[in-house]
């Protein structure tokens, strides 16, 4: 038995969608999924087995379709890209929100109703749960699909995702709710009494997870190694970057890939020892050591290889076999003698094993 936990994080949820695609590639299936906020939406689509649509929506949906606010505007504001036009457009959008006493959720409800089938989710053999906060009763709500009243699924998902910037309104049974992230942003606690062999947690924020599960349960935590940025900017090109990042970061975890900003098939330290003889390596350390604070041969080589890849515009989102990559870099570097790493690439040996 295996469970999946999806943290809340708004537009950062694209990272989770990429992670889910990686799980599918590796044949990792889940018997239950729980989530908060955007995690509850991604989780609902996973439990409904509507994965192609999940990927498609993340790669195409703009904030305009959800909040009636241009996604690029939100992205520029989050980046403090305050040109005169951005400020003018921003004031117009903010004025509209203030006049409406918050962002209207009508578009979000319409969007969710179109893409999440309650019937399909209820008939799925994958269990589903979400976290929200009942403001009226002042309590956290952790609820699974069997306890969600018929016809109320979308209401509960909206309740789980109800940010303070939304228009304040009653959602379920004449009561007010707020985004579950207020008290349970990463609801692994919902699996406390479940008999799982493994639990996978996909984070959206670079924070620690506190959990207490049964001793026999193995917990895997996949967390972005760099901050994902604005949680409100649903912009296709930004979401695509986050999606790819989630996909490759998850493969890195599952396959124990090497690399910091790139992804390399794992080779042990002995392989990297063969790439330079001792004398040449000391020479490279002397020349480049001030740029990279490590004398570990493998880490040192990988860091410089990554810098060369950046300089040469090598695609980041791909899994590379180091010998073939080094061959490619040597070829590309032939006419780049002014590159700071020219001597390094020229001196490195290529070993195929």
């Amino acid at each position: 038995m295996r469970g999946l936990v999806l943290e809340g994080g708004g537009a950062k949820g694209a990272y989770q969608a990429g992670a889910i695609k990686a799980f599918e590639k590796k044949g990792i299936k889940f018997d239950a999924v729980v989530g908060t906020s955007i995690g509850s939406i991604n989780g609902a689509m996973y439990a409904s087995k509507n994965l192609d649509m999940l990927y498609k929506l993340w790669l195409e949906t703009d904030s305009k379709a959800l909040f009636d606010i241009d996604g690029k505007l939100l992205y520029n504001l989050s980046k403090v890209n305050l040109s005169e036009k951005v400020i003018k457009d921003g004031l117009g959008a903010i004025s509209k929100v203030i006049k409406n006493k918050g962002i209207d959720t009508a578009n979000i409800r319409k969007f969710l109703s179109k893409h999440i089938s309650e019937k399909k989710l209820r008939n799925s053999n994958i269990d589903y749960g979400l976290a929200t906060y009942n403001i009226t009763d002042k309590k956290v709500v952790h609820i699974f699909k069997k306890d969600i009243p018929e016809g109320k699924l979308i209401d509960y998902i909206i309740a789980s995702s109800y940010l303070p910037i939304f228009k304040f309104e009653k959602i379920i049974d004449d009561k007010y709710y707020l985004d579950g992230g207020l008290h349970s942003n990463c609801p692994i606690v919902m699996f406390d009494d479940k008999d799982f062999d493994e639990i996978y947690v996909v984070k959206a924020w670079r924070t620690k997870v506190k959990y207490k599960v049964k001793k026999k349960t193995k917990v895997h935590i996949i967390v972005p190694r760099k901050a994902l940025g604005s949680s409100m900017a649903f912009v296709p090109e930004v979401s695509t970057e986050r999606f790819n990042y989630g996909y490759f970061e998850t493969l890195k975890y599952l396959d124990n890939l090497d690399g910091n900003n790139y992804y390399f098939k794992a080779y042990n330290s002995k392989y990297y020892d063969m790439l330079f003889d001792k004398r040449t390596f000391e020479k490279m350390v002397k020349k480049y050591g001030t740029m990279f604070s490590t004398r570990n041969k493998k880490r040192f080589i990988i860091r410089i290889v990554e810098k060369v890849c950046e300089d040469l515009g090598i695609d980041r989102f791909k899994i590379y076999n180091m010998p073939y990559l080094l061959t490619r870099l040597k070829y590309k570097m032939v006419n780049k003698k002014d590159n700071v790493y020219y001597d390094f690439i020229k001196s490195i040996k290529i070993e195929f094993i």
Side-chain angles (χ1 to χ4, degrees):
M1 292 282 287
R2 189 182 286 130
L4 175 63
V5 181
L6 300 175
E7 186 176 50
K12 301 173 194 282
Y15 179 92
Q16 295 175 350
I20 288 171
K21 185 174 182 179
F23 291 139
E24 286 295 300
K25 177 179 175 63
K26 301 302 294 184
I28 297 174
K29 307 290 185 181
F30 297 96
D31 301 287
V33 56
V34 296
T36 295
S37 195
I38 197 66
S40 73
I41 297 172
N42 286 338
M45 298 195 76
Y46 180 85
S48 302
K49 302 181 181 180
N50 200 8
L51 298 185
D52 287 341
M53 181 58 69
L54 172 65
Y55 309 147
K56 184 174 186 290
L57 290 176
W58 273 112
L59 299 177
E60 295 181 0
T61 302
D62 186 273
S63 297
K64 185 75 175 176
L66 302 173
F67 314 125
D68 198 26
I69 301 176
D70 183 73
K72 289 184 178 178
L73 168 62
L74 291 174
Y75 182 69
N76 285 329
L77 289 173
S78 73
K79 289 287 186 180
V80 198
N81 181 16
L82 302 180
S83 66
E84 184 177 347
K85 184 178 186 308
V86 168
I87 293 173
K88 183 178 178 181
D89 291 345
L91 288 174
I94 292 169
S95 297
K96 183 177 179 180
V97 170
I98 292 173
K99 184 177 180 181
N100 196 44
K101 296 182 180 180
I103 295 175
D104 196 309
T105 59
N107 282 1
I108 298 172
R109 180 178 289 277
K110 182 179 178 181
F111 182 88
L112 294 177
S113 297
K114 179 180 179 180
H115 298 295
I116 297 175
S117 165
E118 180 167 349
K119 181 178 179 181
K120 197 172 181 180
L121 188 145
R122 289 190 183 278
N123 290 336
S124 171
N125 62 344
I126 301 172
D127 200 4
Y128 168 75
L130 58 79
T132 182
Y133 186 77
N134 184 327
I135 301 176
T136 305
D137 297 337
K138 296 182 175 61
K139 67 176 184 180
V140 179
V141 176
H142 290 144
I143 189 168
F144 283 90
K145 66 179 181 180
K146 66 181 178 61
D147 297 315
I148 296 176
E150 198 78 31
K152 294 283 188 178
L153 175 68
I154 299 300
D155 290 333
Y156 271 89
I157 292 176
I158 288 176
S160 179
S161 312
Y162 213 84
L163 297 169
I165 59 172
F166 293 156
K167 186 176 181 180
F168 201 54
E169 58 188 9
K170 295 175 180 177
I171 304 173
I172 303 167
D173 300 330
D174 208 33
K175 295 181 179 181
Y176 294 101
Y177 284 78
L178 195 60
D179 191 295
L182 181 67
H183 278 282
S184 190
N185 200 40
C186 191
I188 190 172
V189 66
M190 295 181 69
F191 286 157
D192 278 359
D193 61 347
K194 302 293 183 181
D195 192 24
F196 287 122
D197 300 302
E198 291 182 296
I199 294 174
Y200 284 78
V201 179
V202 182
K203 299 272 292 163
W205 305 85
R206 297 174 66 200
T207 53
K208 291 185 177 180
V209 180
K210 294 181 179 180
Y211 59 88
K212 186 178 181 181
V213 297
K214 295 180 179 180
K215 288 184 178 180
K216 72 166 192 172
T217 303
K218 184 174 183 180
V219 177
H220 306 267
I221 299 177
I222 296 170
V223 56
R225 288 180 293 157
K226 69 172 187 177
L228 296 176
S230 170
S231 58
M232 286 298 293
F234 291 79
V235 185
E237 51 264 46
V238 177
S239 293
T240 299
E241 173 80 11
R242 291 170 174 171
F243 181 95
N244 288 333
Y245 187 48
Y247 177 76
F248 282 95
E249 284 292 285
T250 303
L251 289 180
K252 176 178 173 62
Y253 177 87
L254 297 175
D255 291 339
N256 195 30
L257 300 175
D258 288 328
N260 300 297
N261 298 313
Y262 283 77
Y263 304 90
F264 309 124
K265 290 183 179 179
Y267 283 83
N268 60 31
S269 296
K270 290 182 179 179
Y271 172 78
Y272 287 89
D273 286 341
M274 295 189 294
L275 301 185
F276 289 103
D277 59 50
K278 186 176 180 180
R279 183 179 177 183
T280 306
F281 183 69
E282 288 300 323
K283 185 179 177 182
M284 293 300 108
V285 170
K286 187 175 181 179
K287 182 169 184 176
Y288 301 104
T290 56
M291 303 179 193
F292 307 96
S293 56
T294 178
R295 287 186 65 86
N296 178 284
K297 199 167 188 178
K298 178 176 177 177
R299 286 199 295 267
F300 185 84
I301 292 171
I302 285 176
R303 287 182 183 181
I304 295 185
V305 167
E306 289 188 323
K307 289 299 294 182
V308 174
C309 286
E310 289 175 13
D311 286 355
L312 298 179
I314 302 296
D315 185 8
R316 178 183 167 208
F317 293 124
K318 187 175 178 181
I319 297 173
Y320 293 97
N321 188 310
M322 187 59 77
Y324 292 97
L325 176 62
L326 292 176
T327 302
R328 182 179 177 186
L329 296 183
K330 275 184 173 287
Y331 176 78
K332 281 182 166 288
M333 196 65 86
V334 168
N335 297 317
K336 297 185 179 295
K337 294 183 179 181
D338 58 338
N339 187 286
V340 66
Y341 302 111
Y342 176 81
D343 286 344
F344 181 89
I345 296 299
K346 179 183 176 182
S347 303
I348 202 167
K349 300 175 186 176
I350 300 177
E351 295 288 346
F352 290 87
I353 58 173

